[in-house]
Every structure is written in structure tokens, then in C-alpha cells.
Amino acid sequence: MEEKKIKGNFIKTIITEDLERGKNDGRVITRFPPEPNGYLHIGHAKSICLNFGVADEFNGRCNLRFDDTNPAKEDQKYIDSIISDVKWLGFDWGDKIHYASDYFENLYDYAVELIEKGKAYVCTLNADQMREYRGTLTEPGKESPDRNRPIAENLDLFKRMKNGEFEDGAYVLRAKIDMASPNINMRDPVIYRIKKMSHPRTKDKWCIYPMYDFTHGLSDALEGVTHSLCTLEFQDHRPLYDWLLDEVSAPCHPQQIEFARMNLNYTVMSKRKLQKLVEQKFVDGWDDPRLPTIAGIRRRGYTPAAIRNFCNAIGVGKRENRIDVGLLENCLRDDLNEKAPRVMAVINPLKVTIANWNQENCNSEQKNDDKSQQETSCGSTLKIESLEALNHPQKPEMGTRQILFSKHIYIEKEDFMENAPKKFFRLAPGREVRLRYAYFITCKEVIKDENGEVIELICTYDPATRGGDSPDGRKVKGTLHWVSEEGSIPATVRLYDRLFLNEDPEADRDDFTENLNPDSLVTLKGCRVEKSLANAEPEKVYQFERLGYFCADSKESTPEHPVFNRTVTLRDTWAKVNKK
RNA sequence: UGGGGCGUCGUCAAGCGGUAAGACACAGGAUUUUGAUUCCUGCAUUCGGAGGUUCGAAUCCUCCCGCCCCAGCCA
């Protein structure tokens, strides 16, 4: 992969030390273990990049494993979308996708083993009673009346739970640890519950399902995982993770290491909040380009490489953090600046008529220019000239393309100002600017409508500046992008901005949706884009020169009605200076 | 007020007893047919606070302060 080496972090330090001590015979196996109950977001990308990245760097392996132990919440559609997202990010998990449900049989056997050792028992306490017996943060819990049920009875009951003899909630299997533990996770945690429910993969085979704590560590062990990386909130579960692995005849004892999850400013990351935005239609589905979901940022035009570089740039630690989206955008621009072909588009068109562009020019210019001779149409009406433009000024190998110039063109409304300050390097009455790859033009006349709004500019061009260079060495401060009537097609452009007004969407309000940015999506209908963009491939990002990076929308763009999403703007120091 | 974590530049983050990396942001300047890119330059005498150990501490010890997580038959 093209990105730089992953920089040092505490996890790599641990692994390096393990390797030096000869632990795990030099193997490094990690896993990415999503529960298929939602869509992946950029926070997951951090975990994915970490797990796959570390495995890759130490010549190990990373398993993609679905933690599918709760059929009440899980669904095949999530499995499918997660697979597609991880693949899109560019990671490879070999030939096998793992599922915790593949281990249900082994897990059941481990549970029986625990019961036989007197380390687990079937409990009849219901949920409310269980809560009561658990105690509080400061007081120890009470032992369940079933805690000392004879082993044989536990074995029998557990088997009957499995056989479907009892209703949901009638019994649970609990590990027998310590009801007085200061760590609540060790107060005889439930490890199996009855759920008479069909599972996306095992269908109706099981009516008891193992809990996360019981499943996770043992699945890790079954896969030979050496380093089990998870987020901070599982730190309190580690003693249970270790206890289980020690009490049961597991093939190995993986090491759980916790790291801080990523938070991004101006957005939300929790499943619950994302779901609210989607369900209450604040956004248009899980792949809305404003969302931090993988599907969303992909549709927005983000590239896998940009996300990988970003995940590498933010590092891995154990502190709470809120990363500046600016860093993400910067990683994106870095990647896009390299790869995106340049093109011209005018999103707020202002008509410009070139007064001295006429039939006569046609004859005089044709003599000494092959291209214009071939492609110029000197029909009965007006001349259309074809000019050469670079697809990437810094990368000649990306080639050139022809763009059409004619009497009627469009420039950006923003690029004209009637009473312009000296620092405004663009068009104003009497001022001369360069039209990129075309000619120098001078503004001669401003036409307004009845409301006083500028609707058209009459300019003259200098034929000697063809291509944008002036033979007399005359300088011009501004270069504008443009598009001609004949060389462009209409398009819709959607301008996306941050979803929230506050860095922390939670701030100041009871309901985070009150902090939503009302201008997070601005749809522009009357835009004009270079003709070549009619068949732009969805998700392929172009730089619209001087505006930003854009890609055709994968869902709504058609050759008849192109729709472009703004991926990210260009850095704009003028806008910044102008604001001051 | 039980337990588990965390506190180094505006935001991330290296550092692991030898005298504060890097990235983004920010501020200047150069080049530029994108006010883009690129390129220079600057940006923590100080590591949550106070003591202590040491020739020497962000790194070791003590106390204090602040923030996060845990009482699902969720993961």
C-alpha cells in the first residue's frame, strides 16, 4: 500500500516485546469483530486499519469475524454491507470469513466443561431479581439461591435449555465467580440465555445463545488470535476474559489490549445517534454523503487511501479524543490532489459575451494552428474554437483534453465584483483577467436586470493571448475558470458542509439534532460542467478547478441529468482573508 | 464515597532517567495560467498541580486535582 509506515504506538510496542520474548512462537494474529447490527462508520475504520495494519506489519493475519451472538438485533444485510465496506477500504482477510456462530458447538461444550468443574450454574432469577442480587457500585451483591445447585442438575437443566424445553427468560447459565467482586462483571455474569429465535446463519438450530463475554475470548482462542484489540470500555471485562480462558481447556490464551475509540468533531458516531438521524429523516439514508458512515463518505467521494492515511495519522492511544475533521479533509485533499483529473465547471454561472469574437477571427486564426483548423466550426454563425487543457498541471503524464471556447461563455458569479477592492484579483469593470487555457479578457460593460442584479458581462478578448500567455509579457493577477455555452452541459451540484454547527453536537442542547447545520446540503440546479463530464463514472473524483473536488453521485446521476457531490473544497486562503 | 482507565502545544501524538519528535491548525515569506499544489521560516525553557529521590525527572516515589468507563438475560 502506498501509505507510509504505521507510526509507533503502545500496541506495537507490546507486540514487539512479545515477539522479542518469543511469545506465541512469533505469530501475530488479530481480528476485526463487528456485530452485524448496524453499518460501519469511520470509527470502525480506525479499528480496521489498526487490526489489519498491525497484522500486516508483523507478517501476521487478521480475521474478519462477525460476533453474531444476538439474533434479536442482527441481520444478514448488515453482514453484507460490512463485508463490502471492509473490502472497499482495501483490506484482505484471506479466504475465510469467520463467525462466532460457527463456534456455537464448541462454545456449548466449554459451557458444559465449566458446569462440570462447578464453575457455572443454571439460575432461575429473573432480570429484575438479578439486578437486585447484583448489588451496586459500592455494595457487594448477594448470592443467587441457585448458586449451589448440584452439578448434575445444572447439566440436566442446561441441556434442557438447549433442547428448547423452557421459555425465554426462564433460566440463564451463569459463571460462578464472586458476587462480592468490586468489578461488577465478575459477579456471576450470565453466559448463556434462552432466545427462541431464528439466527441469520444457524437458523433454528439453537434456542440458547452465548453472551458476548463468553463468546468473544473463546472465539479468539479458537482462531489462535494472539492480540485481541478492543475499545476502552472493555477494560473492566478483561478479568472475565482471562478467567474464562483459564477455566476452560482453550487452545491458547490471547491477550486483550484496549485502545481509545475515535471521535470526530462536527459529527456523531454512535449507532444510536446515527440511527436517529436516518430514521427521523434528518439525512437521506445510511449512505447520505454527510454521514460519517463508510457508505456515506464513499458516496461523498472519499478514497480508501485517504481514510487509511487518516487512521494512521491520528495514532492510537488510550485517551479520550476528538479529532479535528480538518485533519480528515486534509488527508483527503492530499490523496485527491495526486489522483484527481482537473476539469472546469461553473456552479453559479454568470453569462459573459465576448464582443469582439466574430466570424473574422476564424479566418485569420486558422492559418497557423492545426487543431483549431480541424475543430473550428466556421459555419454560418459563430466560431467555436478548441483549446488544449492539461488534465493535471503537475502530472503531464495524465494528458490533455480539448475544451471549447466561443462567443458566449460562463464564469462564476463570485468572480465578478462591480466595486472591487485592489486585492480582488478577479473580474471587475475595466479589469483584465485570464480565462484558464484560453484568453485574456477585459470587462467592458455590465448588464443588469430591473432589480439591479448583474446578469451579463460584455468583455473583449485579446487574440494574441491564446492559451493564456501574453506575448508582450503583460501580467494579469487573476485566472478564472470558465465554460462555454457549446462546451458545457447543465448539471446539478450538491454542496455538502459539516452536519453540525458545534464541534461537539452534544453541547448546549438537550437534543443533539437541534445543533444540526441547516446548510449542510445546498443543492445548485443551474450549473454548467465541461461536456466530457456527461459520462463521469460514479464515485470517480474530479477537481473542478478553483472550486474543489467533486464526483458523480452513485445513486442519482445519469448522463441526461448529471448530479455531482462536492467531496471537499480546495483550501481557500482568499475566503479566509476575505472574512477578516 | 467500590472498581477500572486517562491527563505532554489549539487538535491528535512520540517520548520509557540524560535535558520536549512529527502531523494538522496557526503566522510570515518564495514560486505559481487553480488566491490550489509545492517550497522555505516561525510556533511547548515545558509535560494537570504540589512535594520528594537523583549530578540529572515528562519519565521513579508520595499526596492532591480534573476527566472518562462500569450496576443489559447488548456488544
Side-chain angles (χ1 to χ4, degrees), chain A residues 263-534:
Chain A
N263 299 293
L264 260 189
N265 62 10
Y266 298 103
T267 193
V268 291
M269 210 77 97
S270 84
K271 228 169 251 180
R272 203 205 98 235
K273 288 179 194 134
L274 290 171
Q275 194 155 28
K276 179 168 180 175
L277 293 175
V278 173
E279 279 172 1
Q280 298 186 16
K281 309 269 185 208
F282 288 110
V283 296
D284 186 25
W286 283 95
D287 58 352
D288 186 295
R290 290 168 290 183
L291 254 22
T293 52
I294 301 295
I297 57 186
R298 173 178 179 176
R299 191 169 162 201
R300 173 88 169 248
Y302 276 70
T303 58
I307 294 166
R308 281 186 247 118
N309 287 147
F310 169 70
C311 290
N312 185 210
I314 61 174
V316 182
K318 300 187 78 163
R319 323 173 195 154
E320 289 295 318
N321 57 73
R322 180 165 21 251
I323 315 275
D324 188 346
V325 258
L327 180 58
L328 210 210
E329 293 172 345
N330 187 70
C331 291
L332 216 212
R333 290 191 188 102
D334 256 5
D335 189 47
L336 260 19
N337 179 45
E338 288 287 310
K339 300 174 183 162
R342 267 107 246 235
V343 102
M344 291 200 282
V346 175
I347 60 174
N348 285 302
L350 172 61
K351 189 174 178 184
V352 173
T353 297
I354 310 295
N356 59 337
W357 183 270
N358 53 41
Q359 195 70 43
E360 287 157 324
N361 296 115
C362 185
N363 302 326
S364 62
E365 285 212 5
Q366 270 192 358
K367 292 174 205 144
N368 43 24
D369 193 296
D370 290 337
K371 272 197 176 113
S372 81
Q373 198 159 21
Q374 284 170 7
E375 301 182 20
T376 294
S377 118
C378 288
S380 52
T381 54
L382 288 161
K383 185 177 88 164
I384 297 171
E385 189 171 67
S386 183
L387 298 157
E388 187 173 64
L390 265 19
N391 290 145
H392 190 130
Q394 281 80 41
K395 293 182 177 250
E397 66 275 20
M398 284 179 72
T400 62
R401 67 188 187 287
Q402 294 300 123
I403 51 177
L404 302 180
F405 189 86
S406 67
K407 190 174 184 78
H408 297 294
I409 63 168
Y410 297 99
I411 65 166
E412 213 66 64
K413 272 186 182 138
E414 268 199 342
D415 286 337
F416 172 79
M417 199 181 244
E418 203 170 8
N419 301 109
K422 315 146 285 302
K423 285 292 210 176
F424 185 79
F425 302 154
R426 308 180 185 184
L427 204 56
R431 289 201 196 171
E432 184 173 48
V433 295
R434 170 169 38 236
L435 292 181
R436 177 143 242 226
Y437 300 125
Y439 294 97
F440 284 14
I441 59 167
T442 304
C443 177
K444 295 296 187 188
E445 194 187 334
V446 180
I447 299 175
K448 298 179 184 175
D449 65 10
E450 59 277 12
N451 301 318
E453 202 183 318
V454 178
I455 51 167
E456 185 179 350
L457 264 24
I458 307 295
C459 299
T460 56
Y461 85 111
D462 176 358
T465 57
R466 184 170 198 276
D469 289 306
S470 55
D472 60 2
R474 160 169 115 254
K475 295 274 186 233
V476 101
K477 268 179 283 184
T479 298
L480 308 187
H481 61 277
W482 57 277
V483 110
S484 67
E485 176 78 46
E486 294 80 1
S488 66
I489 54 166
T492 292
V493 174
R494 299 151 151 177
L495 269 20
Y496 291 106
D497 199 356
R498 355 205 101 149
L499 228 201
F500 290 90
L501 263 6
N502 304 51
E503 263 196 67
D504 175 6
E506 222 65 56
D508 308 329
R509 291 291 195 357
D510 294 332
D511 181 354
F512 73 100
T513 60
E514 290 172 26
N515 282 324
L516 246 4
N517 174 7
D519 301 319
S520 60
L521 167 59
V522 173
T523 303
L524 266 23
K525 298 266 189 214
C527 313
R528 312 265 331 171
V529 301
E530 262 185 45
K531 245 178 182 161
S532 60
L533 254 18

Side-chain angles (χ1 to χ4, degrees), chain A residues 74-85:
Chain A
E74 296 153 9
D75 195 285
Q76 184 61 38
K77 72 177 179 196
Y78 297 120
I79 294 179
D80 297 339
S81 79
I82 290 168
I83 290 172
S84 128
D85 287 348

Side-chain angles (χ1 to χ4, degrees), chain A residues 105 108 157-164 206-208:
Chain A
E105 207 70 58
Y108 179 81
L157 249 19
F158 187 49
K159 181 181 260 173
R160 290 167 62 194
M161 280 168 66
K162 177 192 172 194
N163 292 341
W206 296 87
C207 54
I208 55 172

Side-chain angles (χ1 to χ4, degrees), chain A residues 59-72:
Chain A
N59 297 310
R61 184 181 87 217
C62 177
N63 292 345
L64 171 59
R65 181 178 77 230
F66 288 96
D67 258 352
D68 53 350
T69 58
N70 187 356

Side-chain angles (χ1 to χ4, degrees), chain A residues 29-47:
Chain A
I29 299 173
T30 59
R31 97 273 91 110
F32 172 61
E35 183 193 12
N37 70 343
Y39 297 92
L40 256 29
H41 54 64
I42 192 156
H44 293 107
K46 173 181 179 179
S47 176

